[in-house]
């Protein structure tokens, strides 16, 4: 596959190892364990929950301070929140799990490689060339969700028993630029 033809999907499918520092020079800065979570900004959170619960299950946590919900997908999850007024429904961010997550070391490494990094108590954030926010945080962050309690919403019959999240496809305006970004980040 040539550099001009790699898609974000192909780049994201390359996720899969476990350490911060790569063994090879071309392996990228991060060695991700998995797509940890995907956060969605939706128009109607109640309708979205009915839909996603019927597909993937009833294990849902509710953020006690906001309307945000977290629907478990094996070791991964969907974060679902209402879209802020005046904004479009969208993928809010993509969460990448890193085993042995060390925020200061990762931040230093990313900034040293030229990435603009924003740090919060929920990990590190970088923006891809098209503005998609990527959260870099601990693997299986479901276990670290704070201010969340079991959601008492209606139980539904479930169609699938998910074992995790396989990949995420994101459209890009410039596939070569995006491929270089993701290759530098993940190898």
């Amino acid at each position: 596959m040539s550099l001009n033809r790699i898609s974000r999907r192909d780049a994201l499918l390359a996720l899969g190892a476990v350490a911060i520092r790569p063994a090879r020079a071309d392996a990228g800065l991060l060695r991700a364990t998995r797509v940890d979570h995907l956060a969605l900004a939706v128009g109607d959170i109640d309708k979205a929950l009915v839909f996603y619960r019927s597909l993937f299950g009833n294990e849902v946590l509710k953020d006690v301070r906001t309307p945000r919900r977290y629907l478990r997908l094996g070791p991964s999850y969907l974060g679902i929140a209402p879209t802020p007024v005046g904004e479009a429904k969208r993928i809010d961010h993509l969460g990448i799990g890193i085993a042995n997550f060390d925020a200061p070391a990762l931040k230093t490494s990313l900034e040293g490689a030229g990435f603009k990094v924003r740090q919060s108590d929920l990990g590190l954030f970088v923006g891809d060339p098209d503005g998609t926010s990527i959260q870099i945080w601990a693997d299986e962050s479901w276990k670290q969700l704070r201010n969340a309690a079991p959601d008492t919403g209606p139980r539904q019959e479930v169609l699938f028993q998910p074992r995790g999240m396989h990949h995420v496809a994101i459209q890009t305006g410039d596939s070569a630029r995006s491929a270089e970004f993701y290759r530098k980040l993940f190898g």
Side-chain angles (χ1 to χ4, degrees):
M1 181 174 335
S2 79
L3 179 63
N4 293 338
R5 294 180 162 244
I6 191 167
S7 67
R8 281 193 200 184
R9 178 178 180 206
D10 293 332
L12 288 172
L13 288 173
L15 303 175
V18 209
I20 295 171
R21 291 284 180 185
R24 298 183 345 246
D26 64 343
L29 295 168
L30 302 176
R31 298 193 61 182
T33 305
R34 74 184 85 247
V35 176
D36 184 70
H37 65 276
L38 186 66
L40 305 176
V42 300
D44 184 324
I45 195 165
D46 293 325
K47 283 183 181 178
L49 280 168
V50 166
F51 175 78
Y52 287 111
R53 278 180 185 243
S54 69
L55 284 177
F56 302 124
N58 293 297
E59 190 171 359
V60 177
L61 298 176
K62 181 190 183 311
D63 187 305
V64 297
R65 298 181 297 181
T66 71
R68 182 180 308 275
R69 302 293 199 294
Y70 307 98
L71 185 133
R72 189 168 184 151
L73 302 170
S76 305
Y77 62 94
L78 284 177
I80 305 168
T83 303
V85 175
E87 292 187 21
K89 295 171 266 189
R90 66 189 186 286
I91 294 174
D92 182 71
H93 69 271
L94 166 67
I96 301 299
I98 304 291
N100 305 313
F101 178 73
D102 179 349
L106 277 171
K107 185 174 190 231
T108 298
S109 178
L110 290 165
E111 287 176 339
F115 289 95
K116 183 178 177 184
V117 181
R118 180 176 62 82
Q119 187 169 356
S120 82
D121 61 344
L122 299 175
L124 306 173
F125 290 82
V126 297
D128 81 357
D130 289 299
T132 300
S133 184
I134 302 166
Q135 181 182 14
I136 302 162
W137 198 23
D139 186 35
E140 293 190 61
S141 66
W142 171 267
K143 297 173 184 175
Q144 298 183 33
L145 292 172
R146 298 180 215 132
N147 304 311
D151 182 58
T152 57
R155 298 307 240 182
Q156 295 177 227
E157 189 171 329
V158 178
L159 294 173
F160 304 103
Q161 295 298 320
R163 295 185 300 163
M165 199 173 306
H166 181 268
H167 70 275
V168 176
I170 303 171
Q171 293 182 337
T172 178
D174 182 337
S175 60
R177 181 178 63 161
S178 291
E180 182 55 33
F181 171 86
Y182 285 104
R183 185 174 288 115
K184 187 175 179 183
L185 198 59
F186 298 114

